[in-house]
């Protein structure tokens, strides 16, 4: 083991993810009398930072740019003043990964939810009907962030029939290729040990809608009731936002967990590659299409449409794929004039192809 590795592994911040990489990144700030720390909570221009000497409150005035994607957030590693009242964060270290969503469907701004995340745990409650489209949306953002997603089917105890539960798992696995799907019951403990083993290897973020059971699951992983829990409505599974801020917590079995408020909206933000990974089977099929720019609508030799016809690809998957790609294009086009022009040209081309196909069909009937 190198000297740097040895010092980082014995560092007081090791339980929070400090390693040789972050030690190297922080080196330029060490000579300025600053100390490293990890942001555990951000609130109204200030943040709580865990340092080797404990948790300190610091002002973020020096690291609050106009770009909302560059503001400091939970999970960041920061260079903070060693003393002073108030203390100030002077910089944060380059992020390994960042989980970003669009603030709304009508604007093109992104919002960063968590930084330096290794695992994105998407909590999906089995107490209400599965929304596969929403799961695919969460997965696209997770893949785009650079983290490894995992779907936790929470409240599994409400589905006592093992066969019925296995069908639900299969449905989600179809919507989540390459992703582990794990039924979990925080009440009965099923699956919690498996999930704890996964999150022990780094930083994890809990994501999901309000009422998905994130706080209950966080308490199960922490081994104590740290996060407040509120009951959800039985009609639609929704509840109040139990978690109101994003909090980073060290887990007793190793690793750290970021719990987030329930997300009402999950807008894509420049997540084309993430969408591609969620629908990897469609992109693989597209490589076999006769035309490289096949839109999978009416083109001859379309391998995607052939898969729909033979039943190997559910039509719902293709519809969801198209929807997320269109949404992502709209968001990106708002800040990219060249892309707006390309989208307009592509729309005109497809319209012309559609009109030609319609005319040909009419001509065939007339004969």
């Amino acid at each position: 083991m190198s000297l740097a590795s040895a010092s980082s592994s014995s560092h007081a911040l090791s339980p929070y993810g400090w390693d040789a990489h972050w030690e190297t990144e922080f080196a330029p700030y060490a000579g300025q009398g600053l100390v490293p720390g990890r942001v555990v909570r951000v609130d109204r221009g200030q943040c709580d930072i865990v340092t080797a000497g404990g948790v300190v409150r610091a002002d973020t005035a020096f690291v609050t740019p106009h770009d909302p994607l560059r503001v400091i957030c939970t999970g960041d590693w920061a260079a903070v003043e060693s003393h002073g009242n108030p203390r100030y964060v002077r910089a944060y270290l380059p992020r390994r990964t960042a989980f970003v969503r669009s603030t709304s469907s009508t604007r093109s701004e992104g919002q960063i939810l968590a930084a330096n995340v290794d695992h994105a745990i998407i909590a999906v409650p089995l107490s209400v009907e599965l929304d596969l489209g929403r799961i695919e949306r969460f997965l696209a953002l997770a893949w785009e962030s650079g983290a490894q997603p995992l779907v936790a089917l929470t409240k599994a105890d409400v589905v006592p029939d093992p066969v019925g539960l296995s069908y639900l798992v299969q449905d989600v696995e179809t919507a989540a290729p390459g992703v582990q799907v794990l039924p979990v019951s925080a009440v009965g403990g099923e699956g919690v040990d498996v999930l704890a083993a996964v999150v022990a290897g780094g930083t994890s973020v809990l994501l999901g809608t309000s009422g998905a059971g994130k706080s209950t699951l966080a308490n199960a992983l922490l081994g104590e009731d740290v996060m407040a829990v509120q009951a959800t409505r039985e009609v639609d599974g929704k509840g109040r936002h139990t978690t109101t801020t994003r909090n980073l917590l060290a887990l007793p079995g190793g690793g750290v967990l970021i719990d987030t408020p329930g997300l009402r909206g999950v807008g894509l933000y420049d997540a084309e590659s993430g969408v591609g990974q969620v629908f990897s089977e469609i992109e693989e099929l597209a490589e076999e299409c006769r035309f490289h720019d096949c839109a999978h609508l009416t083109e001859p030799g379309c391998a995607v449409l052939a898969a729909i016809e033979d039943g190997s690809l559910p039509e719902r998957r293709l519809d969801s794929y198209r929807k997320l790609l269109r949404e992502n294009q709209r968001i990106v086009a708002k800040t990219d004039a060249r892309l707006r022009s390309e989208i307009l040209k592509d729309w005109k081309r497809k319209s012309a192809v559609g009109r030609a196909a319609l005319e040909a069909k009419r001509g065939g009937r007339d004969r």
Side-chain angles (χ1 to χ4, degrees), residues 11-13 16 35-38 49-57 80-82 87:
H11 198 282
L13 289 173
Y16 290 89
V35 296
R38 193 161 195 192
I49 300 178
V50 60
T51 69
V55 177
V56 301
R57 188 77 167 162
V80 63
E81 293 174 343
S82 60
R87 290 193 187 186

Side-chain angles (χ1 to χ4, degrees), residues 38-105:
R38 193 161 195 192
V39 179
V40 297
R41 184 172 178 268
V42 178
D43 181 30
R44 298 173 185 170
Q46 292 191 316
C47 60
D48 293 335
I49 300 178
V50 60
T51 69
V55 177
V56 301
R57 188 77 167 162
D59 195 296
T60 64
F62 288 102
V63 286
T64 307
H66 295 297
D67 184 352
L69 295 182
R70 295 176 62 83
V71 299
I72 199 162
C73 76
T74 304
D76 272 324
W77 284 97
V80 63
E81 293 174 343
S82 60
H83 59 279
N85 187 20
R87 290 193 187 186
Y88 287 94
V89 176
R90 290 293 176 173
Y92 65 83
L93 307 186
R95 294 162 177 157
R96 282 174 170 171
T97 61
F99 194 97
V100 179
R101 69 164 176 174
S102 175
T103 52
S104 74
S105 59

Side-chain angles (χ1 to χ4, degrees), residues 117-132:
V117 173
D118 301 296
H119 306 283
I121 304 168
I122 301 162
V124 179
L126 291 177
S127 53
V128 294
E129 185 176 353
L130 288 174
D131 186 339
L132 297 179

Side-chain angles (χ1 to χ4, degrees), residues 176-193:
V179 175
Q180 183 177 2
V181 178
L182 180 65
V184 178
S185 171
V187 176
E190 293 85 357
V192 174
D193 55 343

